[in-house]
Amino acid sequence: MEAKSVPLHRIVDWDNAYANGPNIAGGERWPDLWIEPAERFRARMKAQGRARLDQRYGQRPRNLFDLFLPEGTPKGLVVFVHGGFWLRLDKSFWSHLATGPLAHGHAVAMPSYTLCPEIRIAGIVREVAAAIGTAAAMVEGPMRLTGHSAGGHLVTRMITSDVLLPPSVQDRVVNTVSISGVHDLRPLMRTVMNKQLRIDETEANVESPVLLRPIEGARLTCWVGGAERAEFRRQNALLGNVWAGLGAATDAVEEPDRHHFDVIDGLVDRNHPLTRTLVE
């Protein structure tokens, strides 16, 4: 039987490979589409006395997080870390995504962090670790980490074996869900945005979760939209594959008909598989 040749896959335009908005119909509506539901959510939670806004975890202006509390005693803490390619956005765009975890009885912390080029990605990693540590001191119980895009990179970085979180905090992390996460920084060195990110080979090797070992007992789900760019789907499958070989419990999910911006919407619904994967 004669073997058939398979066309080789090669990425030529790395900027297009990571360009979400231009490759989504109506993609220009985001991130503004998140502003109004996030504002309404914060107003409602504040009126109910269940929002602790702008909690400080460091000295830089953006070293703040919002903490949303469930009704009654929290079962534990969920930390959601936002995306924006480490270059843009802040905690205020995503508040409504706390709805699903709150409905299951978990408190939810959402930090902002200093953006590139004012800081390097390695610095952001350490800021997020500080935010998680501060939030952990405010809420008892098991912790679950989740983040979108760059936030997916940041939360998976928290469960690597070169301990950034205090051991007493890292031991509380029972589950991590990376949504459309960028787990290998090396391809971004070929993009125009690296003029601001300033990733070099050394930083890519030190800060890419796919090149690092997971902590003992790590549990990870990588979740991506089935309609996302091929490069995001590749990055999604990559980390779960590598970490499974290093002893972590992993899964990789492609949610049908979801793109890079609406793939996070499941967190608003307590019964959505994304929410249930995170909290159960």
Side-chain angles (χ1 to χ4, degrees):
M1 183 176 181
E2 185 178 352
K4 295 182 179 180
S5 62
V6 178
L8 297 176
H9 174 67
R10 183 177 183 180
I11 297 174
V12 177
D13 187 345
W14 287 95
D15 292 305
N16 186 56
Y18 284 95
N20 292 300
N23 289 291
I24 296 170
E28 71 282 353
R29 295 176 294 162
W30 286 275
D32 289 350
L33 202 63
W34 294 318
I35 295 174
E36 193 270 339
E39 288 180 344
R40 278 193 291 109
F41 176 85
R42 284 195 303 278
R44 184 170 69 252
M45 294 296 289
K46 189 174 180 180
Q48 296 174 6
R50 295 165 55 200
R52 298 181 184 176
L53 305 180
D54 294 329
Q55 300 294 301
R56 182 157 291 283
Y57 68 84
Q59 298 304 311
R60 289 175 176 262
R62 291 173 59 96
N63 289 168
L64 302 167
F65 66 89
D66 293 339
L67 179 65
F68 303 108
L69 300 170
E71 296 179 356
T73 303
K75 294 179 180 178
L77 176 66
V78 168
V79 180
F80 174 91
V81 181
H82 74 80
F85 281 120
W86 310 270
L87 291 167
R88 58 187 71 91
L89 305 179
D90 60 40
K91 61 185 174 61
S92 68
F93 288 83
W94 325 86
S95 308
H96 55 297
L97 300 182
T99 303
L102 285 171
H104 286 269
H106 298 269
V108 180
M110 295 188 167
S112 291
Y113 46 82
T114 307
L115 300 174
C116 298
E118 183 179 344
I119 194 172
R120 296 183 71 108
I121 289 176
I124 296 176
V125 167
R126 280 143 188 83
E127 287 193 351
V128 169
I132 293 171
T134 303
M138 300 172 66
V139 180
E140 296 181 351
M143 297 174 57
R144 292 162 169 83
L145 308 181
T146 188
H148 177 237
S149 197
H153 159 266
L154 292 165
V155 295
T156 53
R157 183 68 180 86
M158 295 299 109
I159 57 168
T160 55
S161 57
D162 59 330
V163 179
L164 294 168
L165 298 174
S168 60
V169 174
Q170 197 171 57
D171 288 347
R172 290 170 56 189
V173 178
V174 298
N175 192 25
T176 301
V177 178
S178 174
I179 308 168
S180 306
V182 181
H183 307 123
D184 185 353
L185 300 180
R186 292 172 297 179
L188 297 174
M189 294 168 60
R190 303 186 181 199
T191 66
V192 170
M193 64 181 151
N194 200 44
K195 292 178 180 178
Q196 295 176 283
L197 296 175
R198 297 177 293 153
I199 304 168
D200 56 26
E201 197 73 32
T202 298
E203 185 172 51
N205 287 336
V206 171
E207 301 297 344
S208 294
V210 75
L211 300 177
L212 304 173
R213 285 189 168 274
I215 59 173
E216 189 71 25
R219 179 182 174 191
L220 170 71
T221 298
C222 296
W223 191 288
V224 74
E228 294 207 45
R229 306 294 291 150
E231 179 63 1
F232 279 91
R233 301 198 308 274
R234 185 188 71 83
Q235 286 262 9
N236 190 72
L238 182 64
L239 186 62
N241 191 346
V242 171
W243 276 15
L246 296 175
T250 71
D251 194 12
V253 177
E254 289 195 10
E255 184 178 357
D257 303 320
R258 294 284 188 171
H259 56 64
H260 190 73
F261 298 131
D262 66 5
V263 68
I264 54 176
D265 290 352
L267 291 176
V268 177
D269 180 358
R270 68 170 297 160
N271 294 316
H272 191 279
L274 177 57
T275 298
R276 298 183 76 91
T277 295
L278 176 63
V279 301
E280 296 181 358

